[in-house]
Amino acid sequence: MTDRRGVVAKRAENLMPGVLYVRGWAQARRSAGALAAQLTALGLEPDFPSLTADVNVSGEGLVRLGNVRPETAVMLAELIMSGLAAQAPTQAETMMREARKPRPDSSAA
C-alpha cells in the first residue's frame, strides 16, 4: 500500500483487469463508516466534511480524511494520544497477569 517513503499509492483512476477494487473499496467504506460514527458521537463530524472511502491502483482500500484545519489535526493527534495513554495501563495489567501465570516445567524433558 505504501512506497519506500511510506506514501500511500496513487488512487485508482484507470481500472486494471484482475484487480479486486470492489473488495478494497468495501473495506474502506466500512472503516470510513466506523470512523464517521465515532466522529459524530464526539460532535466532530463537521470537522471532517470530506471523509470518504476510496481505493488505490493496487485495489487496497483507502480512507480519505480530506483537507482539515490545523486545529482539527491537532485535536485528532490529541485524541489518539489520549487513547494510547488510556490503553497503556490495560496493556501493563495484561503483561503483569501473564507474568504471574505458572509456567510449564521445561526441566522435566
Side-chain angles (χ1 to χ4, degrees):
M1 181 159 147
T2 59
D3 64 15
R4 62 183 175 80
R5 294 178 307 161
V7 178
V8 175
K10 193 170 104 177
R11 72 180 294 272
E13 293 177 359
N14 298 315
L15 305 182
M16 298 184 315
V19 178
L20 303 175
Y21 295 106
V22 174
R23 181 179 294 165
W25 179 82
Q27 180 183 16
R29 184 167 185 254
R30 287 188 300 273
S31 299
L35 179 56
Q38 294 303 312
L39 291 171
T40 300
L42 292 168
L44 301 175
E45 184 180 14
D47 291 313
F48 295 88
S50 300
L51 178 66
T52 57
D54 204 346
V55 67
N56 69 14
V57 293
S58 303
E60 297 166 324
L62 304 173
V63 176
R64 296 188 176 273
L65 300 179
N67 296 332
V68 297
R69 294 175 301 136
E71 299 83 18
T72 301
V74 168
M75 177 198 52
L76 184 58
E78 289 171 352
L79 287 170
I80 291 169
M81 292 304 297
S82 295
L84 291 172
Q87 185 180 16
T90 304
Q91 288 177 339
E93 289 170 8
T94 301
M95 290 172 62
M96 287 172 43
R97 275 195 303 273
E98 289 295 320
R100 284 189 218 123
K101 284 185 181 177
R103 295 193 176 124
D105 185 11
S106 60
S107 62

